[in-house]
């Protein structure tokens, strides 16, 4: 089960569907989880910002990473406002399902696409929090089964 903040969320077959016209996120798991990784099949259907979230401490604090605008991938921090921390080129395509893994160990946040490390950065702001998924802008995304592993 998830708690959600904005967006239209529905179960579509075995996937979680998110349609939104503004930032929208779903949160789950233990609020005090520290080091863990999550792997989720993510299908960008429409729009930009198809993201996983880690170490979320409610709707106003946490990290998110995944597909960003203009063929990019990025890591963001929400500390009562969204800030892009890292970005790289990645030619993702609408309608294609990608296995994204987002990992938090100590102060390092790492994003993998299809088991290949694509971004890694350090930040000491949040040392624990929930996992989740969502978006920063208008569009639609499908999220598959969440595989969560404590490290």
């Amino acid at each position: 089960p998830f708690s959600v903040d904005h967006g239209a969320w529905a179960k579509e077959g075995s996937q979680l569907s998110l349609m939104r016209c503004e930032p929208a996120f779903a949160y789950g798991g233990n609020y005090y989880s520290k080091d863990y990784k999550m792997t989720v099949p993510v299908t960008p259907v429409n729009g930009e910002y198809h993201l996983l979230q880690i170490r979320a401490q409610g709707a106003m604090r946490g990290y998110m990473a995944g597909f960003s605008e203009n063929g990019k991938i990025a890591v963001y921090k929400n500390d009562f406002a969204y800030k892009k921390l890292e970005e790289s080129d990645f030619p993702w395509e609408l309608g294609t399902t990608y296995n994204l893994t987002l990992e938090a160990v100590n102060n390092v946040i790492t994003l993998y696409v299809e088991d290949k490390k694509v971004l890694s950065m350090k930040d000491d702001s949040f040392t624990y929090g929930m996992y989740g998924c969502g978006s920063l802008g208008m569009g639609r995304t499908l999220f598959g089964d969440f595989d969560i592993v404590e490290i």
Side-chain angles (χ1 to χ4, degrees), residues 41-61:
V42 176
T43 307
V45 177
N46 189 308
E48 300 170 334
Y49 305 105
H50 311 275
L51 305 171
L52 299 181
Q53 190 166 34
I54 203 162
R55 291 188 175 163
Q57 298 175 0
M60 301 305 292
R61 294 166 46 102

Side-chain angles (χ1 to χ4, degrees), residues 74-132:
V75 177
Y76 298 88
K77 178 170 68 172
N78 182 8
D79 194 359
F80 295 91
Y82 298 104
K83 179 182 178 185
K84 189 183 294 180
L85 299 178
E86 292 285 330
E87 179 181 70
S88 182
D89 291 328
F90 190 91
W92 59 272
E93 297 180 9
L94 293 174
T96 301
T97 301
Y98 301 88
N99 282 315
L100 296 186
T101 299
L102 185 55
E103 178 181 82
V105 178
N106 298 319
N107 67 345
V108 179
I109 307 298
T110 306
L111 176 66
Y112 300 83
V113 179
E114 300 297 341
D115 296 324
K116 180 182 176 194
K117 185 192 304 188
V118 292
L119 277 181
S120 189
M121 47 82 49
K122 292 182 178 184
D123 189 87
D124 293 318
S125 300
F126 310 118
T127 58
Y128 62 89
M130 300 174 286
Y131 62 83

